């Protein structure tokens, strides 16, 4: 209370460049069915059946996408007591390692899923009957059909694996041995020959952590189809620091291996480095290299992948980088990395490149007459074995990250992207999971000066106990975000426009494309890029400038008056100005802002 004033007060709602975080709890729907389980890592959406399949320790769940607590279907799939005893006798931890941690759930056919678990250090797979239609409420193990999980699922639940089931063939990036030293990209199950990467060849894979496998077609020709693997691995001498590098690797789906050599091994495997860095003031680049997750863009043109990357080497922080497929293909079409011998540097290979160009798929656009990689000349196969790495690295679009968080006390662990049509165009909304149990909803807007403006629309606490988010999936159909962690599964709406307030201006200032598009409280559409309520909402004073709103309130000298100014949008900052009677000058009143609602 500033008691010396009896003159009008003005409350200005100003658009703020640095958004204020809005934290909400109690908006997420937790899976509350009591299970003695942990590590809810695998989320597999089935929008046709309106179900989500979840894999955790010893359990496979089928949950209703509308409400995950409504009649969950539960399969308990622990290991036999004898297996558990053997596991413990081999020196492993009873609960931490000797459980059956589900690590793979793939749709097998119209009625069955293929599911694998670590099986107490003895990976196992089986079929789950989910019925033809969801109304049947079928969800059960197919008795008597247990396969070995070797090459599909790791022994050690601490090691991440990735998988893709394509045309009845299972492709997996996985450590295939008990010791966890033999990392491989493996193909099993189908009619084609089983295939793998060259064993214990650190040029191919060097202590990798697999992040994702993603089929990305190269052209209209099916024979060119490639499966891309995203992983991080230990750096070879090439480039020295940093210790860990983010990688994109790929194989042709129709690879049959070599004839002379690389028999039953990929003869089209290539990889390249993904760079995500920002130049510092001192000219030293800050690299973000601990690739934890990625999401493909929903905009097919230009096709891009979003990747979020924390850096553990220098300080805590993360970045989101976007890579276009065109840039990625250009690197794979560029020079191969070459090393003459142990004491030489890595250079771009300048010698003769054999035909067909190493990494090309058989029967594709450039090799119509070669039906199989077994028809490739020996020199192509030999070249492949020694040159699996591209010399050039892939840089993000515009050569810089889309989002950067430096020196914050959290990291991004997961990313997923949704596309929203607002009044002024189409927006990609990023959902970024953190290691402290929250999800940030972020949009990045182009500005007129070629720079970009990042807006954090909200940050939601999805798990009451701070815990790293391990998995996120979006259902555009249901407009829900599903989130998994060690503690459980939960879901929340992609938008909650009512938290921004009732008024049109509140909605506009929030600049949330979901709400600007269809806000139930907003009578008209607002643009997201400028979020200008002056233009779009009548009835407000606006004599300061186009980005501010003002409200006049009066206090009387010598008395205390309750003055209140409320702004629900996280992008609003409040300023109080004091203007005395008979004066045109106004003075800003300094204050400590406690929240988005200030009272005097
Ligand atoms: C939960 O499982 C662990 C082993 O997986 C067991 O030791 C514990 O007794 C179980 N708790 C309950 C309540 O069943
Ligand atoms: C799906 O696969 C399972 C397991 O191989 C099999 O038992 C079942 O008959 C198949 N269902 C259909 C519809 O093909």
């Amino acid at each position: 209370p500033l008691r010396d004033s009896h003159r009008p007060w003005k409350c200005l709602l100003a658009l703020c460049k640095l958004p204020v975080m809005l934290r909400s709890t109690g908006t997420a729907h937790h899976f509350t069915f009591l299970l003695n389980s942990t590590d809810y890592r695998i989320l597999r959406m089935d929008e046709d059946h309106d179900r989500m399949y979840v894999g955790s320790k010893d359990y496979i769940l089928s949950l209703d996408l509308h409400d995950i607590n409504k009649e969950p279907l539960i399969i308990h799939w622990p290991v036999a007591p004898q297996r558990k005893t053997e596991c413990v006798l081999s020196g492993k931890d009873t609960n931490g390692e000797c459980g059956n941690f589900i690590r793979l759930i793939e749709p097998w056919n119209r009625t069955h899923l293929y599911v694998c678990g670590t099986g107490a250090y003895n990976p196992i797979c089986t079929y789950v009957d989910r019925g033809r239609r969801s109304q049947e409420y079928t969800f059960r193990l197919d008795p008597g059909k247990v396969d070995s999980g070797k090459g599909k699922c790791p022994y050690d639940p601490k090691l991440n694996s990735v998988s893709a089931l394509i045309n009845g063939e299972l492709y997996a990036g996985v450590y295939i041995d008990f010791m966890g030293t033999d990392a491989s990209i493996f193909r099993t199950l189908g009619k084609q020959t089983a295939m793998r990467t060259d064993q214990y060849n650190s040029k191919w894979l060097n202590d990798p952590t697999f992040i994702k496998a993603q089929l990305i077609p190269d052209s209209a020709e099916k024979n060119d189809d490639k499966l891309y693997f995203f992983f991080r691995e230990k750096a070879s001498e090439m480039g020295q620091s940093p210790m860990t590098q983010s990688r994109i690797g790929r194989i042709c789906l129709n690879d049959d291996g070599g004839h002379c050599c690389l028999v039953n091994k990929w003869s089209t495997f290539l990889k390249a480095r993904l760079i995500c860095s920002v130049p510092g003031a001192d000219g030293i680049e800050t690299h973000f290299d601990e690739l934890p997750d990625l999401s493909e863009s929903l905009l097919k043109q230009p096709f891009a992948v979003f990747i979020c990357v924390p850096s553990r080497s220098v300080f805590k922080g993360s970045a989101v980088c976007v890579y276009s497929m065109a840039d990625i293909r250009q690197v794979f079409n560029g020079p191969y990395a070459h090393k003459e011998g142990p004491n030489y540097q890595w250079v771009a290979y300048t010698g003769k490149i054999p035909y067909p160009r190493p990494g090309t798929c058989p029967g594709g656009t450039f090799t119509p007459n070669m039906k199989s990689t077994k028809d490739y000349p020996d020199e192509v196969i030999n070249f492949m074995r020694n040159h699996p790495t591209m010399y050039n690295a892939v840089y993000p679009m515009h050569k810089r990250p889309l989002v950067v968080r430096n020196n914050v006390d959290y990291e991004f662990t997961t990313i997923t992207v949704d596309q929203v049509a607002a009044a002024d165009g189409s927006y990609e909304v990023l959902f970024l999971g953190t290691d402290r149990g929250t999800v940030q909803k972020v949009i990045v807007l182009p500005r007129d000066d070629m720079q970009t403006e990042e807006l954090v629309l909200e940050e939601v606490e999805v798990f009451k106990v701070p815990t790293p988010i391990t998995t996120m999936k979006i259902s555009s159909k249901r407009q829900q975000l599903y989130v998994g962690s060690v503690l459980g599964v939960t879901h929340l709406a992609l938008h909650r426009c009512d938290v921004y307030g009732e008024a049109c201006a509140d909605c506009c200032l929030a600049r949330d494309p979901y709400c600007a598009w269809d806000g139930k409280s907003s009578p008209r559409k607002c643009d997201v890029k400028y979020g200008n309520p002056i233009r779009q909402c009548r009835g407000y004073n606006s004599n300061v400038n186009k980005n501010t709103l003002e409200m006049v309130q009066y206090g009387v000298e010598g008395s205390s008056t309750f003055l209140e100014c409320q702004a629900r949008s996280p992008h609003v900052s409040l300023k109080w100005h004091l203007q005395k009677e008979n004066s045109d000058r106004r003075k800003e009143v300094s204050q400590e802002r406690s929240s988005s609602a200030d009272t005097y």
Side-chain angles (χ1 to χ4, degrees):
L2 297 164
R3 298 164 57 130
D4 62 336
S5 67
H6 58 117
R7 292 306 140 211
W9 290 73
K10 294 204 169 177
C11 159
L12 302 180
L13 299 175
L15 270 191
C16 186
K17 289 288 174 230
L18 285 172
V20 181
M21 296 288 183
L22 174 75
R23 284 173 159 265
S24 330
T25 42
T27 50
H29 302 270
H30 300 272
F31 178 64
T32 51
F33 200 83
L34 275 183
L35 291 179
N36 189 7
S37 187
T38 173
D39 206 345
Y40 296 75
R41 192 179 306 198
I42 305 298
L43 305 182
R44 162 70 63 180
M45 309 297 284
D46 180 356
E47 299 211 67
D48 294 340
H49 286 100
D50 266 333
R51 307 296 291 185
M52 175 172 68
Y53 309 114
V54 179
S56 67
K57 183 192 165 209
D58 298 337
Y59 287 91
I60 315 160
L61 316 171
S62 167
L63 306 178
D64 189 321
L65 281 182
H66 298 268
D67 175 0
I68 57 176
N69 284 305
K70 191 182 145 212
E71 301 179 67
L73 303 171
I74 296 169
I75 293 175
H76 189 204
W77 190 31
V79 291
Q82 192 197 340
R83 176 64 226 154
K84 188 149 194 156
T85 310
E86 287 165 12
C87 178
V88 173
L89 286 177
S90 72
K92 305 297 174 191
D93 173 57
T94 316
N95 293 326
E97 297 173 306
C98 294
N100 186 22
F101 291 82
I102 310 303
R103 286 292 186 263
L104 182 154
I105 301 178
E106 295 283 342
W108 174 250
N109 61 22
R110 286 187 55 200
T111 52
H112 286 64
L113 303 169
Y114 194 67
V115 180
C116 302
T118 57
Y121 265 77
N122 182 31
I124 43 172
C125 298
T126 191
Y127 297 89
V128 168
D129 185 357
R130 60 169 163 176
R132 211 167 274 276
R133 288 171 303 131
S134 55
Q135 297 90 312
E136 291 172 19
Y137 289 97
T138 304
F139 199 59
R140 59 176 173 242
L141 290 178
D142 214 342
K145 277 196 180 157
V146 178
D147 288 353
S148 162
K150 199 174 157 80
K152 304 167 189 169
C153 179
Y155 287 70
D156 182 349
K158 291 187 293 301
L159 296 173
N160 214 24
S161 61
V162 298
S163 59
L165 206 148
I166 303 165
N167 305 327
E169 312 271 350
L170 183 71
Y171 299 81
V174 62
Y175 281 82
I176 66 165
D177 60 335
F178 184 91
M179 298 296 287
T181 54
D182 186 10
S184 173
I185 292 172
F186 224 75
R187 181 172 75 200
T188 48
L189 270 189
K191 294 186 195 69
Q192 301 191 68
T193 38
M195 295 282 283
R196 60 161 299 158
T197 38
D198 202 20
Q199 193 171 23
Y200 301 122
N201 182 343
S202 62
K203 276 188 193 166
W204 286 41
L205 294 170
N206 195 12
D207 263 339
T209 301
F210 295 103
I211 305 301
K212 201 157 193 162
Q214 177 84 47
L215 177 68
I216 306 175
D218 249 6
S219 66
E221 171 56 58
K222 268 194 86 62
N223 283 334
D224 284 331
D225 281 357
K226 294 179 185 75
L227 184 63
Y228 285 81
F229 286 87
F230 296 86
F231 54 101
R232 57 176 191 264
E233 66 175 352
K234 249 181 25 212
S236 62
E237 317 91 293
M238 193 169 116
Q240 275 81 38
S241 84
M243 302 275 284
T244 309
Q245 297 183 342
S246 303
R247 294 277 190 193
I248 178 170
R250 68 180 202 187
I251 49 160
C252 294
L253 291 185
N254 58 1
D255 192 334
D256 296 320
H259 179 68
C260 65
C261 36
L262 292 184
V263 175
N264 295 339
K265 293 182 180 156
W266 303 110
S267 59
T268 58
F269 174 72
L270 289 176
K271 65 178 181 181
R273 185 172 167 203
L274 292 168
I275 299 223
C276 184
S277 65
V278 275
D282 48 6
I284 298 168
E285 299 247 314
T286 300
H287 280 271
F288 299 87
D289 289 295
E290 295 273 342
L291 173 62
D293 195 22
L294 62 114
S295 170
E296 76 181 88
S297 164
L298 295 160
L299 292 173
K300 294 295 176 204
Q301 289 299 330
F303 192 90
V305 276
F306 290 80
I307 291 195
C308 72
V309 222
S311 154
R312 278 181 203 129
S313 44
V314 189
F315 49 77
K316 215 166 177 183
S318 318
V320 176
C321 279
V322 188
Y323 302 88
S324 83
M325 275 316 292
D327 291 346
I328 290 169
R329 289 201 184 96
Q330 197 172 4
V331 166
F332 280 112
N333 290 334
Y336 302 88
H338 177 75
K339 198 167 154 74
E340 205 58 52
N343 298 323
Y344 287 79
Q345 293 279 314
W346 284 98
V347 292
Y349 181 76
T350 50
K352 182 174 172 289
I353 293 172
Y355 175 85
R357 185 184 155 88
T360 311
C361 305
T365 316
F366 303 105
T367 48
N369 301 322
M370 295 197 181
K371 291 286 168 273
S372 161
T373 51
K374 289 207 158 84
D375 301 336
Y376 284 3
D378 294 357
E379 51 177 341
V380 172
I381 306 294
N382 274 323
F383 187 91
M384 283 308 296
R385 175 177 223 141
N386 296 313
H387 301 92
T389 311
M390 304 318 298
Y391 181 71
N392 292 325
V394 187
Y395 284 84
M397 288 165 87
H398 310 296
K399 293 271 191 298
R400 60 170 182 256
L402 190 67
V403 172
V404 181
R405 295 280 185 284
N406 269 346
N407 295 317
V408 290
D409 60 354
Y410 63 89
E411 284 172 358
F412 295 140
T413 54
T414 48
I415 182 169
T416 183
V417 182
D418 192 25
Q419 197 192 340
V420 188
D424 57 342
S426 189
Y427 289 90
E428 296 210 309
V429 181
L430 312 184
F431 292 87
L432 297 162
T434 67
D435 61 353
R436 57 177 181 183
T438 65
V439 174
Q440 292 185 8
K441 179 170 152 188
V442 173
I443 53 172
V444 180
L445 304 168
R447 272 195 342 218
D448 298 337
D449 56 358
M450 300 296 288
Q451 299 290 309
T452 53
E453 177 187 9
E454 181 201 329
L455 286 176
V456 179
L457 298 170
E458 56 179 332
E459 180 167 26
V460 180
E461 259 171 15
V462 278
F463 292 104
K464 284 174 187 122
V465 183
T467 184
I469 288 173
T470 49
T471 324
M472 290 197 307
K473 289 278 154 68
I474 276 183
S475 164
S476 298
K477 190 172 154 193
R478 299 272 145 249
Q479 295 281 294
Q480 295 283 320
L481 176 73
Y482 302 85
V483 185
S485 75
V486 164
L487 300 179
V489 195
T490 181
H491 66 116
L492 61 152
L494 297 180
H495 45 83
R496 284 158 305 111
C497 299
D498 49 337
V499 303
Y500 298 132
E502 299 281 303
C504 173
D506 290 333
C507 166
C508 288
L509 287 167
R511 299 168 76 187
D512 186 326
Y514 291 103
C515 307
W517 160 59
D518 189 26
K520 69 175 168 57
S521 52
S522 170
R524 67 203 87 203
K525 291 180 173 182
C526 286
D527 68 32
V528 175
K529 193 167 175 206
Y530 300 105
N532 184 350
I534 310 306
R535 218 171 64 207
Q536 293 166 14
C537 307
R538 265 172 289 135
Y540 281 82
N541 291 337
S542 61
N543 59 1
V544 180
N545 71 48
K546 74 175 176 118
N547 278 344
T548 61
L549 280 175
E550 59 177 70
M551 272 162 55
V552 183
Q553 297 186 33
Y554 298 93
V556 177
E557 191 165 6
S559 70
S560 66
T561 309
F562 181 73
L563 303 175
E564 187 182 50
C565 185
Q566 278 215 335
R568 289 192 192 80
S569 161
H571 308 298
V572 165
S573 66
L574 294 173
K575 281 182 186 167
W576 291 85
H577 288 253
L578 171 66
Q579 190 175 350
K580 298 207 170 191
E581 192 179 23
N582 303 329
S583 164
D584 287 339
R585 288 185 49 221
R586 51 173 83 188
K587 202 173 116 203
E588 186 169 345
V589 180
S590 66
Q591 45 154 321
E592 292 215 344
R593 200 183 61 223
S594 55
S595 72
S596 58
D598 287 346
T599 55
Y600 278 83

